[in-house]
Amino acid sequence: MALTHPDVPHHVAIVMDGNGRWATRRFLPRIAGHKQGVDSLNRCVRACLERNIGVLTVFAFSSENWNRPPEEVSGLMELLALSLSREVPRLNAQGVRIHFVGDRQRLSERVQAGLLQAELSTAGNHRLIFNVCFNYGGRWDIAQAAQKLASRGEAITELSLDRAMALAHVPDPDLLIRTGGELRISNFLLWQVAYSELHFSSKLWPDFDDAALDEAIAFFNTRERRFGQTSAQVNAPDKKPNARIA
Ligand code: FPP
C-alpha cells in the first residue's frame, strides 16, 4: 500500500495498557476499564483513518492473560463477542479490513466463527488494515512459524520465518506505542519490532485520545531511521534504507 502522507507512520502498533487502573481509580470493576478501552479503540481507529495510517495492530489479549482472575478472562471473552456484533458493521462502513492474529484454538467455537465472519465480511476493504492480536504472544508467533516450516520440510531462514509469521500480510510496524507508563514490550510482536520506533505514553489506554496519538506521531517524526546504516548514508539523496526483508 503506497504512503500518501510520508510524515505519518504507515504501520502503528499499540499495547493498550492501563484499563484496569483506569477502572480501579474510579472504584469500578476492572472490566469497566476494558469496556472503556473498546471506546478508546474505536476513537483510535477513526483517528488512524483520518490520518491516512495504513495499518493498525493492537494487543487485545495476550497468551499470558489467561492467568488473570477467571471473571476478568470471561469478561474479556464476552467483550470480544459483543464487540464483534457491535463494531464490525461500523468498521465495514468505514472501509476497515479486520484480521485477528493469535492462537484461536482455545477460543470457543462461537467466538472462532465470529472472528472468521468478521474477517470475511471486511475482506474487500482497503482504507485501513486493522490487526487485533487476541490470544497472541510474540514467542507463540515465532514458534508457530518455525513449526509451520518444519512440518513442510522447509529450511528455517530469516526470510522463510518472516513469511510464516502471523503478521506476514503487513510490513513491520514503524511506530510501537505503549500506554500506561510501563517501559516494556511484554511479548508483543517480538520479531516485527526489530526496527520500530518505540513511544511510551503515561496516559492510561481509556484516556488515549487524538492529541496523544498526534504526540506519538510527532515523536516518530523526530527520529532518524537508519536501519543499521550511517546517518550520511540514509541522508544521501539516492539511497533509502530498507529494513524489510525483500
Ligand atoms: C491491558 O490493561 C489491557 C488488556 C489486557 C485488554 C485490552 C483490551 C481492550 C482495550 C479492549 C479491546 C478488547 C477486545 C476484547 C476487543 P490492564 O488491564 O493490564 O491495565 P492495568 O495495567 O491498569 O491493570
Side-chain angles (χ1 to χ4, degrees), residues 2 8 12 19 61 79 113 119 138 145 148 150 161 170 181 185 199 211 223:
V8 296
V12 175
N19 295 343
F61 190 90
L79 198 53
E119 289 176 332
K148 209 187 281 177
L161 265 178
V170 288
I185 302 294
H199 178 75
R223 311 309 304 158

Side-chain angles (χ1 to χ4, degrees), residues 167-239:
L167 276 176
H169 58 287
V170 288
D172 290 343
D174 300 292
L175 173 63
L176 171 74
I177 301 169
R178 180 175 184 143
T179 63
E182 305 290 357
L183 308 180
R184 53 178 177 260
I185 302 294
S186 297
N187 199 17
F188 191 41
L189 307 181
L190 296 180
W191 177 269
Q192 296 87 350
V193 297
Y195 279 99
S196 305
E197 301 300 330
L198 308 181
H199 178 75
F200 297 96
S201 167
S202 57
K203 278 198 184 278
L204 304 178
W205 174 249
D207 297 326
F208 191 83
D209 54 12
D210 288 16
L213 178 63
D214 286 336
E215 198 177 304
I217 294 171
F219 156 81
F220 175 78
N221 283 316
T222 66
R223 311 309 304 158
E224 180 183 70
R225 307 190 73 196
R226 293 194 289 274
F227 301 102
Q229 292 189 305
T230 67
S231 188
Q233 281 177 302
V234 299
N235 287 306
D238 58 332
K239 294 213 174 144

Side-chain angles (χ1 to χ4, degrees), residues 101-117:
V101 179
D103 185 356
R104 302 184 189 199
Q105 287 174 19
R106 199 166 163 185
L107 307 179
S108 73
E109 281 186 16
R110 184 175 67 101
V111 167
Q112 287 189 40
L115 302 186
L116 189 61
Q117 180 55 34

Side-chain angles (χ1 to χ4, degrees), residues 31-59:
I31 196 67
H34 296 311
K35 286 181 183 159
Q36 202 68 28
V38 173
D39 291 346
S40 189
L41 186 51
N42 283 330
R43 276 200 311 273
C44 186
V45 166
R46 199 188 54 234
C48 288
L49 286 164
E50 287 167 358
R51 286 156 183 75
N52 286 308
I53 287 167
V55 185
L56 173 67
T57 300
V58 297
F59 207 3

